[in-house]
Amino acid sequence: MPVPKAELHLHIEGTLEPELAFALAERDGTELPFASVEELRAAYRFEDLQSFLDLYYRLTDVLQTEQDFTDLAEAYLSRASAEGVRHAEIFFDPQAHTARGVPFATVIDGLWKALYDSEQRYGISTALIMCFLRDLSAESALETLNAAEPYLDRIVAVGLDSAEVGHPPAKFAAVYRRARELGLRAVAHAGEEGPAAYVAEALDVLGVERIDHGIRVLEDPMLVERLVRERIPLTVCPFSNVRLRVVDRLADHPLRRMLDLGLVATVNSDDPAYFGGYVHENFDGIQAALDLTVDHLRTLARNSFEASFIDEPTRARYLAELDAYTF
Ligand code: HPA
Ligand code: ZN
């Protein structure tokens, strides 16, 4: 049985497997610019974040109906339950859908049908994190937050994703302020392709509680010290970093160094359909590549629950389960 863990960095649109993409395209009568599953899989070779995002947004065209979003989330939950995931905080990108004319309600109602009773059906508690696309305007982010207001009981936090460089966190100061006034928690992608300074800015200007990726903090030892001292969690995605060429090879990944420095790092899958594995494959792969010890693995799993936006009794229950687990 895989180690019990929480997954905190997972884009639901990034779980769209080629087979499901073709099935949904056929059901809804949408066009995919690929002749076959094999041809699509062959396109999963990326130069950088942008080349991945181009394909990722292209494929979201097949997500049209509430049922499509439900099927997407169900497929993820079923995979994740076999991988030891006990709790998942799931990103979604409403603007990737509303920009195509799919109503916000279709997206969130469809996802919710899969998520509201995920604990009973899959043994996974879930929470939704609504991400703003940082390469779109702050006004568009604010409109998205307004559209979400009737659904705030289904959303735990806001996040920030898409093309990082040139779109610093401060661009979204007002929308994050409003989100926190509405009672939402806050995270942001920072320090993936962008500089360490974006990590500090996300903390100071947006008031985020966790950083998604954040591996470029290692370029700033003072900032590392701060993150260790303040116990700011980093949701690290090893397979993603290799596929998007943030690091050359898994064996060069800084995760082990991050843990040894005392950073509160976690392991996550990001966009598992695109990057070659779900969360447990990430655990296995990085463990082998970096020769991680059982202590490292236990720390990673413990960090994942400690960094989660769950209530304290639930956290205690998951941590007890982890304590009883033998590697
Ligand atoms: N980085 C930024 N935006 C994203 C990612 C990512 O890894 N995945 C989906 N949107
Ligand atoms: Zn991500």
Side-chain angles (χ1 to χ4, degrees), residues 43-54 193 240-248 275:
Y44 287 12
R45 236 176 261 132
F46 310 112
E47 305 298 315
D48 55 14
L49 176 57
Q50 189 59 56
S51 64
F52 154 70
L53 290 171
D54 291 344
E193 281 191 347
S240 166
N241 293 152
V242 172
R243 291 298 183 100
L244 300 187
R245 307 201 182 178
V246 172
V247 301
D248 289 337
F275 298 151

Side-chain angles (χ1 to χ4, degrees), residues 9-11 49 52 56 91 131 160-162 189 192 212-213 235 237 240 244 269-271 275:
H9 187 154
L10 179 279
H11 302 264
L49 176 57
F52 154 70
Y56 170 89
F91 294 135
C131 284
L160 193 59
D161 64 3
S162 200
H189 284 53
E192 179 187 19
D212 297 311
H213 291 296
T235 62
C237 306
S240 166
L244 300 187
S269 66
D270 207 1
D271 301 284
F275 298 151

Side-chain angles (χ1 to χ4, degrees), residues 78 202 279:
S78 140
V279 66

Side-chain angles (χ1 to χ4, degrees), residues 22 25 30-36 39-40 43 55 58-59 61-62:
F22 273 93
T30 46
E31 287 285 324
L32 268 178
F34 298 92
S36 65
E39 195 183 307
L40 175 52
L55 182 64
R58 190 99 199 244
L59 289 198
D61 284 355
V62 303

Side-chain angles (χ1 to χ4, degrees), residues 172-190:
F172 298 94
V175 69
Y176 267 68
R177 197 177 318 116
R178 177 76 188 131
R180 284 188 291 107
E181 278 168 13
L182 291 169
L184 294 169
R185 310 190 64 167
V187 301
H189 284 53

Side-chain angles (χ1 to χ4, degrees), residues 22 58 61 80 97-98 101 105 126 147 164 174-175 249 255 283 289 309:
F22 273 93
R58 190 99 199 244
D61 284 355
H97 313 299
T98 54
T126 53
E164 185 182 5
V175 69
R249 302 172 310 153
L255 180 69
F283 262 77
F309 297 144

Side-chain angles (χ1 to χ4, degrees), residues 89-126:
E89 296 184 0
I90 299 175
F91 294 135
F92 71 115
D93 285 333
Q95 291 154 294
H97 313 299
T98 54
R100 303 180 285 114
V102 176
F104 188 94
T106 300
V107 179
I108 196 148
D109 286 339
L111 293 175
W112 194 245
K113 283 212 176 96
L115 300 184
Y116 81 98
D117 63 348
S118 60
E119 193 149 14
Q120 288 74 25
R121 292 198 299 141
Y122 295 97
I124 302 177
S125 52
T126 53

